[in-house]
Every structure is written in C-alpha cells, then in structure tokens.
Amino acid sequence: MINLLILSNITIAGLWVACQFILIPYVVNLLILVTAILYSGCHYSLMLRKEQALSRGEKDPNASAEDDDKVYMSETLRKEDAMKFPIFGSMSLFSLYLAFKFFDKETVNLIISAYFGLIGCFAISAVVSDVISLLGGPFTSIKIKKEIQIPRFLPKILQEEPWDFGIDVNLGDILSFIGSAVFMGFYLKSKHWTMNNVIGICFCLKGIESFSLGTYKIGAILLIGLFFYDIFWVFGTDVMVTVAKSLDGPIKIYFPRSLTPNEDGAIDLSLLGLGDIVIPGFFLSLLLRFDAHNAKVPYFSVDNVHYTFPKPYFHSSLIGYIIGMALTMFVMIKFQAAQPALLYLVPACLGSSFLTAVIRGEIKQLLDYSEEDESEDIKPDGDVGEKKTEANPATSKKDD
C-alpha cells in the first residue's frame, strides 16, 4: 500500500511546482492542496502524544540517558482562552483595519513584513530541518550545545535575574536556518506569490503539528466562536476583505486563475486565508489523536507518524472539511462574492465528527477525551491516586 503521508507531501511539492507552468483549475488546485496539507500536518501532530506522555512523567524506553534528564512541558488550549480567542482576534483584525485606513499602507506592510520575515524564517527552517534530518550522517551527528547566561544589566523591575539561554542544534538545523534566512530575504524583496505560498504552507504544517486544543469540547467552543467571528467580519463589515487585500504578507495561499499576465503585468490569483486551514486543522489533528487513543497506539512507537490504525473520526471530518470547502467555493463563484469559509467548515467538521460518535456509540468517550495534563488523580482525603495512563502496546505496525 502506498504510504499516504509520503504521497501527501509529494502532492504539496508537486502542486507548488506544477501550478507555475500548468493552468490547474484553481478550485481543484485549492481542494487538493488543502487536503494534502491537512493530512500531513495532522499526522505529524501524532508526535504530540509522545510529548504529552513525557510531560506526565512517563519514560520513553527508546530514549537516551541525556533525553531522560530533559524536562518536558505539554501545553494545551484552555477553555477560557478558546472563549476569548474570537474577541482578541477581532481586536487584532480591527486594529489592522484602522492601521491601513489611517496610516501609510506601505509603512504598515513594512512593519508587518519584518515580523513575518522573522517567524517565517523559523517556520521554513523547522520544515527543512525535518527533511534534512532524514539524511542522517553528519547532518544529525554534528551538534552544538551551549548554555549562555547574560548577567543582569537592566533595572531590577525589568530584569530580576540573569537571563539563561540554551542552544542545542545540529548541522542540519544550522544549514536549514541559513537557507531559510536567504529565502526570506529574496521573498521580502520580490514578494512573489510562489514564495509566499512556501511560507504559508510551512506555517500551516508547523502550526497544525505543534498545537493541541486539549479536548473536543474546547475545540467545539473555539470553532463555534470563530464561526460567528467570520460571519460578522465578512458579511457585516468590509473589515475582513479590506485587511486580506491590503495586507502584503504570507497569511494566505494564492491559486493562479490564469498564467497570462493581465493589463497590470500580473496574473490573476484567488486566495485562501491560512486561518481557514489551520483552525480546522487543529480540530482534525485532535480527532486523529483521539483515533490513536481508541486504537491504543503506543506513545513511544519508533515511527509514530506512519503507524497504521483505524481513523474513523479523522477521515469523516476530513471528508466533511472537503465538502464544506467545496460548498464555500461553489457559493463564492455562484454569487461572485467573498464568503466566510468557516460558515461552511465549522458545521461540516463538528457535524461529521459528532455524527461518527453517534453511529459508533462513542459520544461519552469523545466528550471525555482530554490531552490536558491530568496525570494525577487527587482523592478527596488529599492522597494522590494512581496515574491515568493509556494502554501502550509493545508492538507497532508501519505502513507498507
């Protein structure tokens, strides 16, 4: 059987190259690319299960003595943060709108470009480093590890203690960072849409694989809040559309509608905001890890991301996402107007996952599933009970 994760990675790279020379219908291009990004990002997020187990104090049987000394922290989204997210998102969006309205557009974009240049460099570097690490050899064996302490030089109110920094990188990390910095330099100079897409795809992959919503209920709260957020700012005002068109940064992925330059010398492009990929991606990755939990997949499998197990919740929600995105594109083309994608994606993802739970009779298990750090059960008399751990089979099964 073809390894679907490898196939999705090839699809992402292949579409990026092909759409520069072959006119692929942009709806088809969008649906295939987004599906591949979600599939890859969600499967790489399976590594979070290992980090969550380590943060609960479990031991990795494959770890070295050096790794055993490390302190692992696993952070998840809290319910309070999920409820506040649409509010802070609205404040940030409206602030950008006011900035573009009352200040020089080029100056605003210059400041934002500097910010995205920095985080974009780290995002690309992280993706490239993962690829280079597959080569092994000196790329992973040559390491630099150093602890740096900066003495206190600021007033005590600003710096109470010396600052401690730790550097732990290998040759692959260094080369990928240098290459990413050069790439970002060329992007900031040219702002070419193909380079924008590279950065946007890296943001999506690293964001989805690195972040946990914690529980299904928290994910539902976040999605429902952003459902109304998206509807209000797209249908109720011109804020969302204005910011999306004015902001010259890698917060969106472009899809060519023509390869022939128009009167302005540029090709016609459609766009999709990264939030319409990443936010549902957080939710889908949680469902994939829930599938792994149900299948009792080992936390410390040698090749976690390629482990084979039933994925009913992930597959049903991914199909729901594709249907929701297709419906978004249909309505947008039909009425020739911008659409809040989450208007269609949120019901599709929530509905498909909950329907799966109803059919399988697993509503309670889905709602009770938690990735929050609850490693100790405190009894009423104050004694500490046994740790809650998931079954951890000793054997693993890899895709062919």
Side-chain angles (χ1 to χ4, degrees), residues 97-114:
Y97 176 78
L98 294 178
F100 283 118
K101 190 175 182 65
F102 295 107
F103 296 97
D104 179 60
K105 181 178 176 180
E106 292 185 2
T107 303
V108 175
N109 273 317
L110 180 63
I111 297 171
I112 294 174
S113 294

Side-chain angles (χ1 to χ4, degrees), residues 9 12 36-38 40-48 51 119-131 133 173 176 180 197-212 274 277-279 281-282 285 289 305:
N9 290 335
I12 293 170
I37 290 173
L38 287 172
S40 292
C42 290
H43 278 77
Y44 287 125
S45 80
L46 289 171
M47 294 304 298
L48 285 177
E51 296 178 11
I119 62 173
C121 185
F122 283 106
I124 297 173
S125 177
V127 173
V128 175
S129 180
D130 290 341
V131 176
S133 66
D173 296 329
S176 63
S180 301
N197 284 6
V198 170
I199 304 167
I201 290 170
C202 289
F203 279 153
C204 290
L205 291 174
K206 299 310 293 186
I208 293 171
E209 74 174 70
S210 306
F211 187 77
S212 169
L274 299 189
I277 305 173
V278 175
I279 298 299
F282 293 154
S285 67
R289 295 191 296 275
V305 298

Side-chain angles (χ1 to χ4, degrees), residues 233-250:
W233 289 115
V234 174
F235 286 153
T237 70
D238 67 336
V239 172
M240 182 77 79
V241 175
T242 301
V243 171
K245 291 181 177 179
S246 302
L247 185 55
D248 188 14

Side-chain angles (χ1 to χ4, degrees), residues 165-302:
F165 296 93
I167 298 175
D168 188 1
V169 296
N170 56 39
L171 179 60
D173 296 329
I174 296 171
L175 293 177
S176 63
F177 185 80
I178 294 173
S180 301
V182 173
F183 180 91
M184 286 303 304
F186 280 107
Y187 165 73
L188 293 174
K189 183 177 181 180
S190 67
K191 293 295 182 74
H192 198 272
W193 66 271
T194 55
M195 302 180 79
N196 172 96
N197 284 6
V198 170
I199 304 167
I201 290 170
C202 289
F203 279 153
C204 290
L205 291 174
K206 299 310 293 186
I208 293 171
E209 74 174 70
S210 306
F211 187 77
S212 169
L213 292 176
T215 69
Y216 182 87
K217 288 179 281 190
I218 292 176
I221 291 171
L222 178 66
L223 288 182
I224 292 171
L226 292 176
F227 171 83
F228 292 106
Y229 159 92
D230 218 18
I231 293 174
F232 174 77
W233 289 115
V234 174
F235 286 153
T237 70
D238 67 336
V239 172
M240 182 77 79
V241 175
T242 301
V243 171
K245 291 181 177 179
S246 302
L247 185 55
D248 188 14
I251 61 165
K252 50 208 170 190
I253 295 179
Y254 292 106
F255 302 90
R257 303 178 67 171
S258 170
L259 296 180
T260 305
N262 55 29
E263 296 177 353
D264 298 327
I267 64 173
D268 295 324
L269 299 165
S270 288
L271 61 89
L272 178 68
L274 299 189
D276 296 328
I277 305 173
V278 175
I279 298 299
F282 293 154
F283 189 71
L284 266 64
S285 67
L286 177 76
L287 293 173
L288 180 60
R289 295 191 296 275
F290 175 64
D291 284 327
H293 169 83
N294 278 350
K296 295 180 170 53
V297 174
Y299 291 123
F300 304 115
S301 169
V302 175

Side-chain angles (χ1 to χ4, degrees), residues 122-166:
F122 283 106
I124 297 173
S125 177
V127 173
V128 175
S129 180
D130 290 341
V131 176
I132 292 178
S133 66
L134 298 176
L135 302 176
F139 296 110
T140 55
S141 62
I142 299 177
K143 296 183 178 181
I144 298 175
K145 187 173 183 179
K146 188 175 180 63
E147 297 293 330
I148 302 174
Q149 186 178 79
I150 300 177
R152 188 168 70 86
F153 63 94
L154 295 174
K156 191 172 182 180
I157 191 173
L158 298 176
Q159 185 185 7
E160 293 185 359
E161 301 290 340
W163 289 336
D164 293 321
F165 296 93

